Amino acid sequence: MSAKAVLKGVEDKFFECSFCLENFKEPKLLPCLHRICKRCLEKIIEKKEDGEFTCPLCNEICDIPHEGVDGFRTDFHMKSMLEYIQLQQTAKTEDLTEECGGCSKESRITSYCFKCKGFLCEQCSTDHITKKMMREHKGSILSLKEIKAQELTLERLASLTETPRCQSHVDKPAEVCCATCQNLPVCMVCAQFGEHKGHDLHDVRLLARRERLRAEKTLETLDKVEDNIIQLPVRVGKVKETLSEAISAEKEKLESQHTKLSELIERRLKDNEQLLKKNKREIDDQEKQEASELEEQRKREIEAAVKEINDKFDKLIGELRVKNQDLRDCQKTLHNERDGRMNKGIVLVDRELRKLESSVDEQGIHHREELEKISCEAANRKTRYSNFRSTISSILASKDNWTEAQCLPDISKASDSLVQDVKKNVPQLESLKQIEAGDLATTMRGIVRISEEPESVVDIEGVEARGWNVSHMKYTDSGSIVITGVADSEHTHITVIDREGKVISTNHINQNTRDCDSIVCRTCSPLDLFKLVTTCEDGELGIYNMKNRSHIRKHMRAIVSDWDDTKLVLIVAIDQIKQNVYIGTNSGDLFVLDDMLDHRHTLQLPQGLEASTDITVHNDNIIVCDFTSGGAYIVTREGPKTELVCEFTKPDHRGENWSPYGVCTDCNGFIYIIWARMISGQWRHILTQYSPDGHHLLVTKDVEGDVYGMDTMLADGSEKLVLVTLEGKLYTHELSVAI
């Protein structure tokens, strides 16, 4: 705003109080450079008890002086401009008749005296100009024509305004500024002999020049960053658009994850249905076989005691049918329980999806609120900047030393915070584009919960008394548990037990080739309801019938052409749907056999996997525990070379380097791994639970005993996790579904 700028170029809003929305009355200048009427300011601070209040325009915190409202500086420059605006309003009347401020008569008004603060008639206006006693008033006369023309400049207005008077001697004009008392105008008497003696006194012209240079420099600094002030609201708008796109993308990602997980569970449901049908067929086949055998036996004995034999075998067949019906019912119950748990899994996946979608919406609301705050701050900066420019430009345009000396120090002080705020970046602005709801698999933590304490701990009958040990354990769909291990230096054992550890049947197997120096020498896995595939380290394989305890043996040398004695068979796992038997060894190979133990093909494990300590089939993949390398992995089972799908996160429990020893899964696909570590000369074991995709470690807990086997089973309407120790203790934990 130039010195010759006319007052009519100033916006009306510049003279308006933001509290009462009227022109200022006794305007008080706040530290933020905004102005408020004295009475309005009194209303604002009278209810404040904490010594501060917020500016209604820019929300800056302002401290309340000890003197209250009087402690805030009166904006005399604004008062002068308001006085002139009021004159303009009055001068609009044609042939204005008022009481003359000179002769006190009702006369036609021709001018206004800023020193007398009153309108003058033509005669009194002439007297003010011509008479010596009124010579001090000559420079303060403004004609009515000049007022009506509205061409008054800020510089001309400053020349009309009376020089400030001394605060102590109102009859004396001020001659210097007292910087000690906030640039208070004082006369020389006060400066040399009065209360301002010894204070920091300045010539008003020098002080005004210094403050003008400082104000112009600040204005130049703000002009350089004007683009930042104007562009920030535009940037905020663009980020809001990007945020909406991010929300949509995140929801699409979650929907895709939900679809994949739902399809996975649906596939497991179909597999369970096929397993039920298969088991029913096996029961029927077994029944036919046993019934046929009984019929043959009846024919051989019929001549000796026809009626007695008929009655006897009719009864046996009836009991057989009842028993097998119980098995069918048991399979149906198991099927329904699996269905129920997997259906619960679908419900939980749907629920977690809704939670994540809600999280996306909440983040969206929060980000929009933050953007709104930034937008308000940007608008506030812009308002403060505009107010500062208008204020400082109007004062600089006045070229009035007293106005500059009194107003510019406070304005410059207040502008420091404005400059700092304007130069501030908004680092969080870019982050508000993004939405992170997390992963659907991660949120499933706690859906299947492992009981803190074992539901039951039982000693397996006869293991300790006979000096046996247990090296492996599996649950069968017939409702029984099979354990294997060392019986003595020449035999291993296969023992079928119930959930209470009671022995249903047991069988000793001769160690045909070499003695087993390692405890882990025999493992097993259910082939169907009544048969197991068993393995021994020296390469022996077998199909064991739990009904009649028959054992058909083979050796890997007769099955695989390139088998040599450096290889050890460590583990067996079976896909009952596809009837594939997977043999894990101490090499980097997995051998795939059919249900007659004939070789189908060989899978080569990814580089870095040295041995298959334990394996289990998991959907279309295989989980491999490699105790030698210390890692657990999910690999594909389509050959000949498998691909790494996932490497499990190793538990950092107690700061030890754990190695995986056993693995199993539950109905909903959650994965459980036993990890082992020799600590202070003793083996310690921990149990971990992972999400179905293997990417997230959900639970880590200590387990008791020297655990050598683990599997899940369905019993009493819920799923259990069963662990067996080398010494023959059976620990059962409940796996509850949190729905």
Side-chain angles (χ1 to χ4, degrees):
M1 187 180 293
S2 69
K4 297 185 180 298
V6 294
L7 278 171
K8 70 177 181 180
V10 182
E11 294 183 4
D12 292 341
K13 197 168 185 179
F14 185 66
F15 304 103
E16 186 179 277
C17 173
S18 62
F19 191 80
C20 63
L21 303 180
E22 297 179 357
N23 281 350
F24 291 109
K25 301 175 186 64
E26 192 70 20
K28 290 291 184 178
L29 193 64
L30 302 183
C32 60
L33 302 185
H34 290 118
R35 305 164 187 82
I36 298 180
C37 297
K38 181 177 181 180
R39 283 195 175 182
C40 295
L41 189 55
E42 287 173 344
K43 292 178 182 178
I44 290 174
I45 68 176
E46 66 182 0
K47 298 180 181 179
K48 302 295 182 180
E49 299 179 357
D50 54 359
E52 60 184 27
F53 69 95
T54 303
C55 172
L57 275 176
C58 67
N59 294 324
E60 184 170 326
I61 302 299
C62 303
D63 294 328
I64 301 173
H66 295 299
E67 304 89 343
V69 174
D70 292 334
F72 291 97
R73 185 187 298 278
T74 300
D75 191 343
F76 293 103
H77 180 60
M78 177 61 73
K79 285 184 68 175
S80 298
M81 290 191 288
L82 286 169
E83 183 179 2
Y84 176 71
I85 290 172
Q86 290 170 356
L87 287 177
Q88 285 182 320
Q89 296 297 324
T90 305
K92 288 180 180 179
T93 305
E94 294 292 334
D95 295 327
L96 177 64
T97 301
E98 290 265 349
E99 181 180 317
C100 175
C103 62
S104 301
K105 296 179 181 179
E106 289 283 337
S107 306
R108 183 174 175 272
I109 299 304
T110 62
S111 63
Y112 181 82
C113 178
F114 280 86
K115 201 170 189 67
C116 297
K117 302 294 182 183
F119 288 101
L120 301 176
C121 65
E122 185 174 1
Q123 182 59 47
C124 290
S125 179
T126 303
D127 291 344
H128 269 58
I129 297 172
T130 59
K131 291 185 178 182
K132 290 183 178 180
M133 61 182 299
M134 303 297 289
R135 63 178 178 273
E136 292 182 2
H137 293 238
K138 183 176 180 180
S140 301
I141 302 298
L142 185 65
S143 69
L144 206 62
K145 290 181 180 179
E146 194 173 359
I147 295 173
K148 288 182 178 180
Q150 296 187 4
E151 296 296 330
L152 186 68
T153 65
L154 291 170
E155 184 176 358
R156 172 78 171 117
L157 177 62
S159 69
L160 293 169
T161 306
E162 183 182 14
T163 301
R165 295 283 177 171
C166 175
Q167 296 293 309
S168 300
H169 305 91
V170 295
D171 58 332
K172 293 181 180 294
E175 296 171 273
V176 293
C177 279
C178 179
T180 306
C181 301
Q182 297 184 335
N183 291 348
L184 191 70
V186 297
C187 66
M188 292 304 297
V189 174
C190 290
Q192 294 178 355
F193 309 105
E195 58 182 304
H196 296 280
K197 182 179 180 181
H199 286 192
D200 185 13
L201 302 171
H202 295 274
D203 182 283
V204 66
R205 289 170 298 177
L206 295 177
L207 182 61
R209 186 181 301 113
R210 185 182 69 192
E211 294 298 338
R212 173 185 288 272
L213 291 174
R214 181 182 172 190
E216 288 174 346
K217 185 176 181 181
T218 301
L219 189 59
E220 182 181 353
T221 301
L222 287 173
D223 286 341
K224 290 179 180 179
V225 294
E226 183 177 7
D227 286 345
N228 291 343
I229 299 171
I230 296 171
Q231 289 299 320
L232 183 56
V234 177
R235 290 174 58 206
V236 170
K238 291 181 179 179
V239 170
K240 286 181 179 179
E241 294 176 3
T242 307
L243 173 63
S244 298
E245 295 172 359
I247 291 172
S248 299
E250 190 69 12
K251 285 188 175 181
E252 287 178 7
K253 183 194 81 173
L254 292 172
E255 286 289 348
S256 175
Q257 289 182 342
H258 171 261
T259 300
K260 290 179 180 178
L261 285 171
S262 297
E263 289 174 352
L264 174 63
I265 295 175
E266 289 290 346
R267 188 168 59 197
R268 293 176 70 89
L269 286 169
K270 291 179 181 178
D271 289 348
N272 190 39
E273 186 69 31
Q274 292 181 30
L275 186 59
L276 172 66
K277 293 177 180 178
K278 173 180 169 294
N279 290 343
K280 283 184 176 180
R281 287 195 302 271
E282 291 170 359
I283 293 171
D284 293 340
D285 293 344
Q286 184 70 22
E287 180 182 304
K288 289 177 181 178
Q289 180 182 344
E290 292 184 12
S292 176
E293 291 173 357
L294 291 173
E295 286 290 345
E296 289 296 326
Q297 186 177 350
R298 180 170 65 177
K299 290 178 181 179
R300 289 193 299 267
E301 297 179 13
I302 197 169
E303 292 181 0
V306 175
K307 188 171 186 316
E308 182 180 350
I309 292 175
N310 281 338
D311 291 342
K312 174 184 176 181
F313 283 96
D314 284 341
K315 181 180 179 182
L316 289 173
I317 291 172
E319 290 173 352
L320 172 66
R321 287 174 176 163
V322 169
K323 181 174 66 174
N324 286 335
Q325 185 59 46
D326 290 339
L327 280 175
R328 292 187 186 94
D329 294 339
C330 176
Q331 291 305 302
K332 182 63 177 176
T333 300
L334 288 174
H335 170 268
N336 291 338
E337 288 177 355
R338 286 196 183 101
D339 269 4
R341 291 182 70 85
M342 286 186 277
N343 283 323
K344 283 183 180 180
I346 292 176
V347 172
L348 292 170
V349 168
D350 291 340
R351 186 181 69 188
E352 293 305 318
L353 172 66
R354 290 193 295 272
K355 286 182 181 178
L356 289 177
E357 286 180 334
S358 176
S359 173
V360 170
D361 292 335
E362 288 174 2
Q363 288 185 56
I365 292 171
H366 172 71
H367 286 197
R368 287 192 177 102
E369 289 174 351
E370 290 299 313
L371 286 170
E372 202 59 41
K373 289 179 183 177
I374 296 172
S375 181
C376 291
E377 176 63 21
N380 179 28
R381 289 182 188 177
K382 191 173 181 180
T383 301
R384 290 170 63 194
Y385 170 73
S386 299
N387 177 59
F388 177 83
R389 281 194 62 87
S390 300
T391 300
I392 199 169
S393 298
S394 68
I395 292 173
L396 294 175
S398 72
K399 291 189 176 180
D400 181 79
N401 291 337
W402 282 106
T403 299
E404 293 171 353
Q406 287 188 300
C407 299
L408 289 180
D410 290 337
I411 293 172
S412 297
K413 180 180 178 182
S415 69
D416 291 341
S417 63
L418 174 59
V419 172
Q420 291 177 3
D421 288 346
V422 168
K423 288 183 177 180
K424 285 180 183 176
N425 290 324
V426 190
Q428 72 271 31
L429 188 60
E430 292 301 317
S431 67
L432 294 176
K433 295 179 180 179
Q434 306 299 323
I435 293 293
E436 295 181 1
D439 193 87
L440 192 58
T442 306
T443 62
M444 294 175 69
R445 180 190 303 270
I447 286 180
V448 177
R449 298 173 182 165
I450 310 170
S451 60
E452 286 296 323
E453 298 296 330
E455 188 181 67
S456 66
V457 181
V458 299
D459 291 310
I460 299 174
E461 184 181 28
V463 171
E464 184 178 7
R466 297 171 182 171
W468 294 359
N469 65 38
V470 178
S471 60
H472 203 234
M473 180 268 293
K474 282 295 175 183
Y475 171 75
T476 72
D477 280 347
S478 62
S480 57
I481 299 171
V482 180
I483 60 172
T484 60
V486 174
D488 53 47
S489 61
E490 298 179 356
H491 299 86
T492 58
H493 69 89
I494 301 174
T495 303
V496 181
I497 62 173
D498 61 19
R499 291 163 45 202
E500 302 302 321
K502 302 297 182 184
V503 175
I504 299 173
S505 66
T506 187
N507 200 2
H508 285 199
I509 311 295
N510 284 328
Q511 202 70 22
N512 287 340
T513 53
R514 63 173 185 258
D515 292 336
C516 288
D517 295 327
S518 173
I519 291 176
V520 183
C521 62
R522 185 170 291 281
T523 63
C524 66
S525 185
L527 183 62
D528 57 34
L529 279 174
F530 310 105
K531 296 174 185 176
L532 307 169
V533 173
T534 71
T535 68
C536 207
E537 281 184 342
D538 59 9
E540 175 202 305
L541 307 181
I543 296 177
Y544 180 78
N545 190 314
M546 293 182 289
K547 296 287 286 185
N548 59 24
R549 294 190 288 176
S550 64
H551 189 203
I552 301 172
R553 300 196 199 186
K554 285 189 175 184
H555 199 279
M556 287 295 289
R557 284 193 300 269
I559 299 172
V560 179
S561 59
D562 59 350
W563 184 266
D564 61 69
D565 288 338
T566 63
K567 291 186 173 71
L568 299 176
V569 174
L570 301 182
I571 196 66
V572 58
I574 296 175
D575 179 355
Q576 292 193 27
I577 302 300
K578 296 183 178 180
Q579 290 291 285
N580 282 337
V581 178
Y582 296 88
I583 303 297
T585 69
N586 62 339
S587 68
D589 294 328
L590 280 178
F591 297 93
V592 185
L593 315 180
D594 62 17
D595 58 349
M596 299 303 293
L597 303 185
D598 293 324
H599 186 229
R600 283 184 168 169
H601 57 276
T602 301
L603 297 176
Q604 184 178 347
L605 295 175
Q607 186 175 1
L609 274 70
E610 300 177 21
S612 305
T613 309
D614 197 9
I615 58 176
T616 191
V617 175
H618 185 57
N619 302 323
D620 293 331
N621 304 312
I622 293 180
I623 302 174
V624 179
C625 290
D626 184 356
F627 188 89
T628 305
S629 69
Y633 313 86
I634 299 179
V635 301
T636 60
R637 51 179 171 140
E638 297 298 327
K641 288 187 178 181
T642 62
E643 295 181 0
L644 183 65
V645 176
C646 167
E647 180 175 357
F648 290 89
T649 302
K650 290 187 68 170
D652 186 24
H653 191 59
R654 304 182 188 276
E656 297 290 342
N657 184 21
W658 301 90
S659 295
Y661 192 77
V663 62
C664 68
T665 62
D666 64 20
C667 286
N668 284 297
F670 285 80
I671 303 164
Y672 305 86
I673 298 180
I674 288 290
W675 301 76
R677 172 73 172 164
M678 179 71 77
I679 302 175
S680 301
Q682 289 188 329
W683 283 105
R684 303 292 183 186
H685 296 77
I686 59 173
L687 170 66
T688 55
Q689 180 195 49
Y690 294 85
S691 59
D693 60 4
H695 290 293
H696 304 284
L697 173 59
L698 306 179
V699 175
T700 301
K701 62 180 297 178
D702 291 294
V703 292
E704 296 182 15
D706 200 357
V707 178
Y708 264 66
M710 175 177 65
D711 205 357
T712 57
M713 70 177 185
L714 288 169
D716 301 328
S718 64
E719 194 167 20
K720 317 288 183 182
L721 181 66
V722 184
L723 295 85
V724 67
T725 67
L726 180 69
E727 302 80 14
K729 282 189 177 294
L730 210 61
Y731 293 83
T732 303
H733 290 263
E734 183 175 9
L735 299 179
S736 58
V737 178
I739 188 168

mmCIF file of all heavy atoms in Angstrom, residues 229 260 293 478 601:
data_model
loop_
_atom_site.group_PDB
_atom_site.id
_atom_site.type_symbol
_atom_site.label_atom_id
_atom_site.label_comp_id
_atom_site.label_asym_id
_atom_site.label_seq_id
_atom_site.Cartn_x
_atom_site.Cartn_y
_atom_site.Cartn_z
ATOM 1 N N ILE A 229 1.908 -20.206 1.143
ATOM 2 C CA ILE A 229 0.664 -19.917 1.873
ATOM 3 C C ILE A 229 -0.541 -20.184 0.985
ATOM 4 O O ILE A 229 -1.541 -20.775 1.398
ATOM 5 C CB ILE A 229 0.669 -18.447 2.354
ATOM 6 C CG1 ILE A 229 1.843 -18.210 3.297
ATOM 7 C CG2 ILE A 229 -0.638 -18.102 3.043
ATOM 8 C CD1 ILE A 229 2.069 -16.744 3.649
ATOM 9 N N LYS A 260 -10.033 -65.155 -0.825
ATOM 10 C CA LYS A 260 -9.065 -66.254 -0.830
ATOM 11 C C LYS A 260 -9.208 -67.131 0.404
ATOM 12 O O LYS A 260 -9.175 -68.369 0.316
ATOM 13 C CB LYS A 260 -7.653 -65.690 -0.920
ATOM 14 C CG LYS A 260 -7.333 -65.068 -2.270
ATOM 15 C CD LYS A 260 -5.908 -64.506 -2.299
ATOM 16 C CE LYS A 260 -5.597 -63.884 -3.656
ATOM 17 N NZ LYS A 260 -4.245 -63.292 -3.683
ATOM 18 N N GLU A 293 -15.472 -113.449 5.973
ATOM 19 C CA GLU A 293 -14.645 -114.389 6.737
ATOM 20 C C GLU A 293 -15.484 -115.169 7.750
ATOM 21 O O GLU A 293 -15.294 -116.380 7.953
ATOM 22 C CB GLU A 293 -13.527 -113.623 7.443
ATOM 23 C CG GLU A 293 -12.481 -113.046 6.494
ATOM 24 C CD GLU A 293 -11.497 -112.157 7.213
ATOM 25 O OE1 GLU A 293 -11.668 -111.950 8.447
ATOM 26 O OE2 GLU A 293 -10.551 -111.651 6.566
ATOM 27 N N SER A 478 -10.528 -93.034 13.627
ATOM 28 C CA SER A 478 -11.313 -94.045 14.344
ATOM 29 C C SER A 478 -11.452 -93.686 15.822
ATOM 30 O O SER A 478 -12.150 -94.368 16.568
ATOM 31 C CB SER A 478 -10.649 -95.423 14.197
ATOM 32 O OG SER A 478 -9.348 -95.420 14.781
ATOM 33 N N HIS A 601 6.991 -90.437 -7.596
ATOM 34 C CA HIS A 601 8.007 -89.490 -8.056
ATOM 35 C C HIS A 601 8.744 -88.942 -6.836
ATOM 36 O O HIS A 601 8.387 -89.241 -5.687
ATOM 37 C CB HIS A 601 7.398 -88.341 -8.876
ATOM 38 C CG HIS A 601 6.346 -87.569 -8.146
ATOM 39 N ND1 HIS A 601 5.030 -87.959 -8.090
ATOM 40 C CD2 HIS A 601 6.428 -86.420 -7.421
ATOM 41 C CE1 HIS A 601 4.336 -87.093 -7.378
ATOM 42 N NE2 HIS A 601 5.164 -86.152 -6.953
#
